[in-house]
Amino acid sequence: MARATRGEISALQTWFADTLADGCPFSFTLEGRHAELFRVESSPTTGRVGEGVIKYTCREGIDVQLSFRTFRGFPAVEWVLALSNKQGADSPLIENLNALQVEFQGKRPVLHWALGSSASRSDFAPRHQIIEPGSKFELAPKGGRSSDTTAFPFFNLDLGGHGVVVGIGWSGMWKAMVSRHGESVTIGAGMHTIRLRLRPGETIRTPKILLLFWHGGDWIRGNNLLRSFILAHHTPQRDGEPILGPLACNGGSKMFDEANLATEENQLDLARSYKAAGIDTEYWWIDAGWFDGRWPNGVGNWSIRKDGFPRGLGPLSDALSELGMGLILWFEPERVYQGTRLDREHPDWIIALPDSPNRLLDLGNPEARKWLTDYVSEMIEREGIAIYRQDFNMDPMPYWRSRDEPDRIGITEIRHVEGLYAFCCLLYTSPSPRD
């Protein structure tokens, strides 16, 4: 496990004092002009370990709260912004909102980054880009999912024997820009497109930003330090150790046409055959197709197929438990197919496009989010589901944009991502499956 050196901790503290404690590591424009921000309050901190809040305001009535966190033993800092309109009227037009806007020095900077996933052999393949004087290089995923095809939301800027790893926490459409003027290298990152006025009293959040500093050796040092940091501070722990990923067997994805032909009997028979063969799996995974309407056109019908599981999934999960296995169940809650239960009964929760049978469940709608949270939580408890597995097989960006008004571009995406995070947090704290 990579450990931070004194030089790396010192680099964080220096940056903290020069930029976060006394400066402003973000930017945006109001009506086309750079927003002039004034610090109004900050919590005391040394930049070593802890959490804090820095508050800014501007003459146009926009308040910004920067909530940050530093980490024991690692040269890392994270922050997220909240922008609020404190006026009694709509705010000026907010554009070019970069939750990260910082500058570093480097003689021959090289950006190390990775592709996203397109379900191909090139998934997450490493790439690099020399940042030449006067150049600008942009990264962004495709279609609105954070690691779709063209980019992955972590990258490493090598400044020559030292550098910084950047992480962008946003389950939507982000972008990052790296530009160079002489030996000055600027990094900007945030939502891909935002052009909106905040309503009176309205607040929005930005992507979360991670900076992790490394020093000495080559750029691989930064990648290894990032892995150690994630294990230490962003991986679920049990008894002080990271929880290992489960050893799972898919219940015959090809054999049973995903899970379209899965039944209580054939799943249990196959699980018993694995056990008899000495394949000691911890979890039994039932993929797409266990629901009414089957995969792929049944998404939005989250009721259990009676022709496959007439008693529900509880008896299967009980039998699997006797074999020493838990049950993993697949969901795709954000996608709703035309004509399914959610589409028919709650069209006000759905974002549809005229040329596609796929719809998007609007998680920015509080009623839709509450229904989903309650329904899935109750099902997990009732059916004895040990692990909930979430998938997403469509590009949400066109749906978000279709709902945006001309002076509210980005608001549907923001509310959806905020809703997704609220759903995941509530689901994570739901009651455990029955014994």
Side-chain angles (χ1 to χ4, degrees):
M1 188 173 184
R3 298 184 181 277
T5 65
R6 289 183 180 180
E8 288 163 340
I9 298 296
S10 177
L12 168 65
Q13 293 171 354
T14 299
W15 180 88
F16 199 102
D18 291 346
T19 306
L20 192 55
D22 296 323
C24 183
F26 61 91
S27 68
F28 57 93
T29 60
L30 295 172
E31 299 293 348
R33 293 180 295 180
H34 182 75
E36 188 177 0
L37 294 156
F38 306 92
R39 185 181 299 237
V40 294
E41 182 183 340
S42 60
S43 60
T45 182
T46 63
R48 292 184 174 86
V49 180
E51 299 180 0
V53 172
I54 303 173
K55 296 182 180 180
Y56 309 81
T57 192
C58 63
R59 293 187 180 93
E60 293 83 355
I62 302 295
D63 288 355
V64 182
Q65 178 171 297
L66 184 152
S67 302
F68 69 88
R69 181 186 178 194
T70 55
F71 300 85
R72 185 177 302 278
F74 286 92
V77 58
E78 295 177 351
W79 70 85
V80 65
L81 305 179
L83 278 68
S84 303
N85 179 13
K86 299 301 184 182
Q87 302 180 105
D90 286 357
S91 76
L93 191 66
I94 300 170
E95 294 180 282
N96 305 306
L97 175 54
N98 284 330
L100 169 69
Q101 185 76 26
V102 294
E103 202 172 281
F104 298 100
Q105 298 298 309
K107 292 184 177 180
R108 193 174 184 273
V110 180
L111 185 71
H112 297 274
W113 55 286
L115 296 177
S117 171
S118 56
S120 70
R121 293 181 179 180
S122 64
D123 282 3
F124 310 113
R127 296 286 186 266
H128 73 274
Q129 177 71 34
I130 298 172
I131 309 300
E132 302 287 358
S135 69
K136 180 178 179 180
F137 184 71
E138 183 170 312
L139 292 172
K142 169 185 169 291
R145 290 174 293 177
S146 61
S147 57
D148 187 352
T149 306
T150 53
F152 188 66
F154 292 88
F155 52 88
N156 186 348
L157 181 62
D158 183 352
L159 297 164
H162 69 284
V164 60
V165 175
V166 179
I168 304 168
W170 189 248
S171 299
M173 190 70 178
W174 57 269
K175 71 175 179 181
M177 301 79 65
V178 183
S179 59
R180 178 183 173 190
H181 299 280
E183 294 184 8
S184 177
V185 184
T186 300
I187 305 177
M191 276 181 60
H192 188 276
T193 305
I194 186 166
R195 185 182 186 274
L196 59 80
R197 302 181 190 275
L198 293 178
R199 304 301 187 218
E202 187 176 34
T203 298
I204 58 172
R205 63 154 288 175
T206 67
K208 180 177 282 189
I209 298 298
L210 161 70
L211 294 185
L212 184 145
F213 296 84
W214 59 270
H215 194 279
D218 61 19
W219 62 278
I220 291 295
R221 164 71 184 166
N223 284 20
N224 288 335
L225 199 60
L226 174 67
R227 293 186 184 96
S228 296
F229 168 72
I230 290 173
L231 284 171
H233 292 287
H234 289 292
T235 303
Q237 305 276 323
R238 180 182 292 137
D239 299 327
E241 295 292 333
I243 296 175
L244 298 177
L247 177 61
C249 286
N250 194 314
S253 181
K254 297 298 182 184
M255 182 186 304
F256 298 111
D257 184 24
E258 302 298 336
N260 286 333
L261 303 178
T263 67
E264 178 183 332
E265 292 76 15
N266 64 35
Q267 293 301 288
L268 188 54
D269 285 347
L270 190 59
R272 284 171 173 156
S273 70
Y274 272 65
K275 191 74 174 180
I279 302 173
D280 229 358
T281 183
E282 298 171 291
Y283 293 92
W284 192 257
W285 179 346
I286 297 182
D287 210 75
W290 54 265
F291 39 84
D292 288 332
R294 294 178 166 80
W295 165 264
N297 299 343
V299 289
N301 291 329
W302 299 117
S303 49
I304 301 167
R305 280 195 293 108
K306 295 295 184 184
D307 61 348
F309 306 94
R311 302 187 298 165
L313 292 168
L316 175 60
S317 66
D318 287 342
L320 290 171
S321 181
E322 292 177 4
L323 296 174
M325 303 178 191
L327 175 62
I328 298 175
L329 196 63
W330 179 100
F331 286 82
E332 191 184 1
E334 292 167 273
R335 188 162 72 95
V336 175
Y337 199 80
Q338 180 180 9
T340 56
R341 176 188 170 189
L342 279 175
D343 187 45
R344 295 192 315 271
E345 296 181 3
H346 296 285
D348 52 321
W349 296 354
I350 303 299
I351 304 176
L353 296 178
D355 58 349
S356 174
N358 289 313
R359 283 89 164 89
L360 183 71
L361 181 64
D362 182 10
L363 293 183
N365 182 315
E367 290 184 357
R369 186 171 67 251
K370 183 180 186 306
W371 176 87
L372 180 65
T373 304
D374 292 345
Y375 188 89
V376 174
S377 298
E378 290 167 5
M379 187 172 177
I380 287 172
E381 187 172 17
R382 181 182 68 250
E383 305 296 338
I385 299 166
I387 294 180
Y388 165 90
R389 188 233 192 247
Q390 183 158 320
D391 204 347
F392 194 21
N393 291 291
M394 58 181 270
D395 291 340
M397 180 57 71
Y399 296 83
W400 292 331
R401 291 285 175 82
S402 74
R403 277 285 178 93
D404 289 340
E405 299 169 11
D407 65 347
R408 298 278 283 171
I409 295 173
I411 193 66
T412 307
E413 176 183 352
I414 291 169
R415 297 304 182 215
H416 186 99
V417 173
E418 289 174 341
L420 175 65
Y421 292 163
F423 165 67
C424 292
C425 286
L426 287 170
L427 196 64
Y428 185 73
T429 56
S430 294
S432 300
R434 55 192 169 79
D435 293 332

